[in-house]
Amino acid sequence: MSSTSVPDQGSPGGAPRHLGWILTLLALAQLLYGLDLNIVFVALPEIGQELGFPGQTQQLVVSAYVVFAGGFLLFGGRAADLLGRRRMFVLALSMYAVSSLAGGLAPSPEVIVAARAVQGIAGALLLPSTLSLINTLFEEGPKRNRALAVWGGAGASGLTIGALLGGVLTDNFGWPSVFFVNVPFGGLVALCALFVIPRDPARTERRKFDFPGSLTVTGGSTLLVFALVEGPERGWGDGLVAGAFVLAVVLLALFAVVESRSADPLMPFRLFGNRNLTVGMLVTFLYMATFGVLPYFLTVLMQSVHGYSALQTGLGFLIPSLAIATGTQLGERFAGRIGTRTTLVIGFVVGIVGTAGLALGFDSDASYAMLVPGLIVSGVGQGIVWTAMWIAAATGTAPQEQGVANGIASTALNIGNAIGLAIFTVIAEIGTDGKAGQALTAARADGEFLVVLLTAAGMVVGLLVTLALRRQPASAAVPAPGSEEEALATR
């Protein structure tokens, strides 16, 4: 890792801090965020059996995290900008540790769902603060690209390593271990951050938190993600789901009105004049609606169709984890040599080919070996896109607004995942009604085959969106934030 150092802005004499150690902590935090999205998947059957969770409500253990992580991301971005990036980073990790301890000790379904909700809020505070630290401590260009590749490799691999680790822990130590593992992990990273990450600089200007904007967008986003996650489970005509949709629309519309009239808005609409951020936001949405849903359907295929144990399912994710990690490093190298736009195009093309090939393994009679080529190629494409999309979203935004810009992109990421799962789980269940045994297994496999092909089609949309980015040589100088050249470059 780089040994480049930055001054500790709050220490006497500006004692240097090594960026390599800082990046290690930021990558570990992102690994924790990615792990917690998927680590409970393979443990759900045991959680349901021991705590008396009916099968149709076990998904709440997953959705509670997704709903609150998606709803609080913009709030988390604003908090990082105003209250301090290191402060929010340490607070978020501490919340992870405490809520994970509560989840592992949970005596009832209500407690474990509440613990997952708090984990989701912690994730919403963690992701923008982590990205903001990278985008302010590492200068725009090759250094930041390299840092985003390391951070991205940890996060993208965490999405699949979560299933691997969840399987190993559940099989050997029981379901509480998928929560307990976060306690020392989160606590240790938070403690080290106090000694390694520079202190937050003193605020030189008075800025308001924009509580009306925070309340309306947090409430609207949370209700929207809740409706999208619960719609497939409860039915789209369910009163609670429909009511959540209506109230979400009202609150988000009110948020738009509040922001248009605020002197210091939570989400300045002028940020969308930066084409990199706008395209990056759309790409993160499509990424999570396509690449991001594959681990869920792979888990269903392995456990429900092929009858793999928790450990076998976890081990099945080792290959895609390595492929994704490889892709993130390739994404950094490509972005530095051929530019972000071309890198995203390459990533999506590789992902489309690999995911289409992956669909061939979604057959009730297919072996795991049939999945391997698709898992490798799709995983490499996924890793390339993951690194490049964050580079795009971070380019051209002023340092004091990196938190909210990252909150915007991260919100798109989580809503993309919620919408993708909502749509594709409905499609996957088509044709399964009234079937049982081998007929049900075959119907599930057929539904998932169609879903994987549709995710590949969604990646084509991502490829087309990427073309809206300006073609910029990798060696081109990066204009200073606020300059006339930057203003022209981001339009």
Side-chain angles (χ1 to χ4, degrees):
M1 284 185 187
S2 169
S3 59
T4 308
S5 60
V6 293
D8 181 350
Q9 299 167 7
S11 63
R17 299 288 190 182
H18 291 288
L19 286 179
W21 287 110
I22 294 173
L23 182 56
T24 298
L25 294 181
L26 299 180
L28 288 173
Q30 181 60 12
L31 177 65
L32 177 63
Y33 179 85
L35 284 173
D36 268 11
L37 284 171
N38 291 342
I39 196 170
V40 300
F41 277 164
V42 295
L44 285 179
E46 283 200 16
I47 293 173
Q49 182 177 2
E50 186 164 329
L51 296 184
F53 251 131
Q56 66 270 24
T57 61
Q58 289 176 17
Q59 188 64 20
L60 285 173
V61 180
V62 176
S63 60
Y65 184 94
V66 175
V67 167
F68 284 90
F72 279 77
L73 276 164
L74 272 176
F75 176 88
R78 181 70 160 192
D81 284 339
L82 297 190
L83 303 180
R85 298 175 177 93
R86 189 181 78 159
R87 289 189 189 94
M88 300 313 299
F89 183 79
V90 172
L91 174 63
L93 288 167
S94 302
M95 289 175 62
Y96 257 121
V98 173
S99 59
S100 296
L101 180 62
L105 297 173
S108 66
E110 293 78 14
V111 173
I112 202 169
V113 170
R116 287 287 286 173
V118 176
Q119 281 186 337
I121 296 173
L125 299 178
L126 182 66
L127 187 55
S129 63
T130 305
L131 271 168
S132 297
L133 285 166
I134 288 177
N135 293 331
T136 53
L137 294 177
F138 296 83
E139 64 181 282
E140 194 167 295
K143 290 182 180 179
R144 183 185 294 175
N145 293 354
R146 195 172 302 116
L148 284 169
V150 174
W151 171 87
S157 296
L159 294 174
T160 47
I161 292 175
L164 169 61
L165 185 60
V168 172
L169 291 174
T170 302
D171 198 65
N172 289 281
F173 305 104
W175 69 263
S177 61
V178 304
F179 289 91
F180 289 147
V181 70
N182 292 331
V183 179
F185 191 175
L188 184 61
V189 175
L191 181 63
C192 290
L194 295 174
F195 296 94
V196 174
I197 297 177
R199 299 176 192 171
D200 297 310
R203 292 172 58 185
T204 57
E205 58 177 328
R206 293 186 63 83
R207 296 181 63 193
K208 298 179 180 178
F209 207 93
D210 186 14
F211 279 104
S214 298
L215 290 173
T216 51
V217 75
T218 299
S221 299
T222 303
L223 288 168
L224 176 61
V225 177
F226 170 82
L228 291 169
V229 169
E230 291 300 306
E233 296 292 324
R234 294 175 173 270
W236 297 105
D238 179 80
L240 187 60
V241 172
F245 266 126
V246 171
L247 191 53
V249 170
V250 171
L251 287 174
L252 292 175
L254 183 58
F255 169 71
V257 173
V258 169
E259 297 303 278
S260 66
R261 298 179 178 180
S262 175
D264 189 11
L266 171 70
M267 188 178 72
F269 292 136
R270 59 178 167 75
L271 289 178
F272 294 104
N274 178 355
R275 186 182 297 184
N276 288 292
L277 174 60
T278 303
V279 173
M281 177 190 71
L282 293 173
V283 170
T284 59
F285 174 89
L286 291 166
Y287 172 95
M288 209 61 182
T290 54
F291 285 117
V293 303
L294 291 177
Y296 173 79
F297 291 104
L298 281 167
T299 302
V300 174
L301 175 73
M302 293 180 194
Q303 288 192 311
S304 299
V305 176
H306 295 315
Y308 289 5
S309 67
L311 178 60
Q312 289 173 322
T313 301
L315 292 174
F317 278 93
L318 181 60
I319 288 176
S321 298
L322 295 173
I324 292 169
T326 301
T328 58
Q329 303 311 304
L330 290 175
E332 178 264 321
R333 288 173 173 78
F334 290 164
R337 295 175 183 174
I338 59 179
T340 305
R341 179 179 184 266
T342 306
T343 301
L344 281 170
V345 169
I346 291 173
F348 272 118
V349 170
V350 172
I352 292 164
V353 173
T355 305
L358 180 63
L360 299 177
F362 277 75
D363 186 279
S364 58
D365 296 323
S367 65
Y368 179 80
M370 287 287 291
L371 291 169
V372 170
L375 289 174
I376 294 173
V377 178
S378 179
V380 169
Q382 180 175 347
I384 292 172
V385 173
W386 177 270
T387 299
M389 74 187 188
W390 292 114
I391 294 173
T395 301
T397 299
Q400 69 271 19
E401 293 178 323
Q402 281 288 344
V404 71
N406 293 321
I408 292 170
S410 302
T411 299
L413 188 84
N414 277 267
I415 291 178
N417 182 244
I419 290 178
L421 279 175
I423 293 173
F424 291 132
T425 50
V426 170
I427 294 173
E429 291 298 316
I430 293 175
T432 61
D433 290 344
K435 294 184 178 178
Q438 189 62 36
L440 177 60
T441 299
R444 281 177 174 166
D446 291 342
E448 293 200 350
F449 170 80
L450 176 60
V451 161
V452 176
L453 287 181
L454 289 175
T455 61
M459 294 171 199
V460 175
V461 178
L463 173 62
L464 297 176
V465 169
T466 294
L467 298 179
L469 280 174
R470 287 190 181 278
R471 189 187 301 272
Q472 184 179 18
S475 59
V478 178
S483 67
E484 182 179 352
E485 291 83 2
E486 186 224 23
L488 291 172
T490 56
R491 285 176 187 167

